[in-house]
Amino acid sequence: MSESKLAGRFFDAAIGLLQRTRDEEAARIAAAGAAVADTVAAGGRLFAFGAGHSSLAAQDVVYRAGGLALMNLLTVPGAVGVDVVPATLGSALERVDGLAGAVLDSSPATEGDLLVIISLSGRNALPVEMAINARALGLTVIGVTSVAYAEETRSRHASGTFLKDHCDIVLDSKIAVGDAELTHEGIEAPFAPASTVVTSALMQATMAVAAEQLAERGIEPPLLRSGNVDGGHEWNGRVMTEYRDRIFYRN
């Protein structure tokens, strides 16, 4: 079978986006990582939220080998992933006013904590209100979004604002409106989204900065090891016991 030109084009597009975010977002990634380290050092808790496919990058930093044990997933029932049936309900819930406030009020998140909100478009009510309410509670808010949407689309929130307008730090994924990197003769719709690749890379880069910052301050980063290597379970048990009051995915 001959090499696929489209596969190669997708890799090229994804690599190009990764290079752009590495170079153009370096200062903001450093600031985001420092904010995570500040929160950990001050005894705060870490949360990540994303709706729909944006939740994939949030889940990628929760309870995983090589990740910070303190990162917790903030979930909105029915809006995380495509496991809800019908899957279109998740998209509808992103536009419901007041849902974010109810979720935050019933969550353990409080003043001094940090929340990463991931939304590619940043235009729906759920991520916008999540950011507004989180900052009102005294949380540090990091937004991971595509700024292009704020320039080329209209907000679906009553305020007319986007996620980026309510964050302490914004990481721009550089993803074009529509999230499809490829077109091809004979295929009517654009295809091959790269937002998950780029957004996950932004998240992992931020966590790497946080670990580096903590180490430079003389604080052992509370990292998890793989359970598939010798000693991994014992290591993780020690970390989870030490930080049990800041880990909520075990409850």
Side-chain angles (χ1 to χ4, degrees):
M1 183 180 293
S2 62
E3 179 182 345
S4 169
K5 292 181 180 179
L6 289 180
R9 281 175 53 197
F10 176 75
F11 277 110
D12 289 343
I15 291 168
L17 285 163
L18 289 170
Q19 289 175 330
R20 279 191 65 197
T21 53
R22 179 196 63 192
D23 297 341
E24 297 174 17
E25 297 300 299
R28 285 175 284 274
I29 292 169
V36 172
D38 289 344
T39 303
V40 173
R45 289 85 62 84
L46 306 175
F47 298 89
F49 164 77
H53 285 92
S54 290
S55 72
L56 296 174
Q59 294 177 56
D60 193 45
V61 293
V62 176
Y63 184 53
R64 68 161 304 151
L68 289 173
L70 305 192
M71 184 60 76
N72 301 278
L73 187 66
L74 184 66
T75 60
V76 175
V80 178
V82 292
D83 57 336
V84 62
V85 178
T88 51
L89 175 61
S91 298
L93 288 173
E94 290 188 61
R95 306 181 190 184
V96 175
D97 294 332
L99 182 56
V103 168
L104 276 171
D105 288 344
S106 62
S107 79
T110 189
E111 183 176 2
D113 293 344
L114 180 143
L115 172 62
V116 183
I117 301 175
I118 304 169
S119 173
L120 179 62
S121 73
R123 67 189 298 222
N124 290 311
L126 186 55
V128 173
E129 291 185 357
M130 189 72 76
I132 292 172
N133 282 273
R135 292 182 87 186
L137 288 172
L139 278 74
T140 297
V141 176
I142 298 171
V144 186
T145 187
S146 170
V147 173
Y149 277 85
E151 299 169 346
E152 301 177 32
T153 70
R154 292 183 178 181
S155 170
R156 288 177 174 148
H157 187 254
S159 67
T161 60
F162 287 76
L163 168 62
K164 74 175 186 64
D165 300 315
H166 305 284
C167 299
D168 297 288
I169 302 166
V170 175
L171 302 180
D172 182 6
S173 64
K174 318 292 182 182
I175 299 295
V177 173
D179 192 16
E181 295 302 318
L182 301 183
T183 58
H184 189 66
E185 184 179 355
I187 302 176
E188 293 190 14
F191 56 101
S195 60
T196 303
V197 174
V198 178
T199 304
S200 291
L202 283 168
M203 291 295 290
Q204 293 296 348
T206 297
M207 297 305 114
V209 172
E212 180 182 39
Q213 287 263 328
L214 288 168
E216 289 177 352
R217 302 178 197 187
I219 301 172
E220 175 68 28
L223 296 166
L224 296 173
R225 291 177 180 262
S226 171
N228 295 312
V229 299
D230 292 342
H233 285 299
E234 292 76 14
W235 172 280
N236 293 341
R238 177 184 62 80
V239 172
M240 289 185 179
T241 297
E242 182 176 351
Y243 291 95
R244 59 184 175 274
D245 60 330
R246 298 154 75 179
I247 295 173
F248 303 101
Y249 49 80
R250 297 190 70 189
N251 295 343

